[in-house]
Amino acid sequence: MNQDNTTGPTPADSADFTIDLTFEEARRRAEVVAALGPDWDPAAALRGEDEAYALLYSGLDADQRRTYDMLVAAGVLPGEEPGRAATH
């Protein structure tokens, strides 16, 4: 009995495997929105985030403010403008 299989599978032995995740991503997003519940208010959530951000960086002393401004200018921290996001 000769079981010499040193050549391995050939391209003809393999099959292409593809999957479209579009449906699964849509289903996942629908589940997230459903889990948030009917009382979820995205505008209120964003206002709350803005208030928390303002509170986080309020009360900085002069040295802390300079460091904060330097990090914003470098793109490490987002600025205080609407729709802010760090650039790096």
Side-chain angles (χ1 to χ4, degrees):
M1 184 176 202
N2 186 0
Q3 294 184 350
D4 184 18
N5 190 10
T6 57
T7 61
T10 65
D13 295 334
S14 63
D16 288 335
F17 179 77
T18 60
I19 185 168
D20 181 5
L21 297 176
T22 306
F23 175 77
E24 288 303 318
E25 179 62 13
R27 185 193 61 75
R28 184 194 68 79
R29 289 181 183 195
E31 291 294 330
V32 167
V33 171
L36 291 171
D39 298 328
W40 180 63
D41 182 2
L46 288 174
R47 281 191 303 275
E49 287 182 17
D50 287 341
E51 291 167 5
Y53 186 86
L55 184 60
L56 178 65
Y57 293 109
S58 66
L60 298 177
D61 64 28
D63 188 45
Q64 292 169 330
R65 176 51 71 175
R66 276 192 303 278
T67 301
Y68 171 81
D69 291 340
M70 178 186 65
L71 292 172
V72 169
V76 175
L77 288 176
E80 297 176 1
E81 67 280 350
R84 61 187 172 266
T87 58
H88 292 66

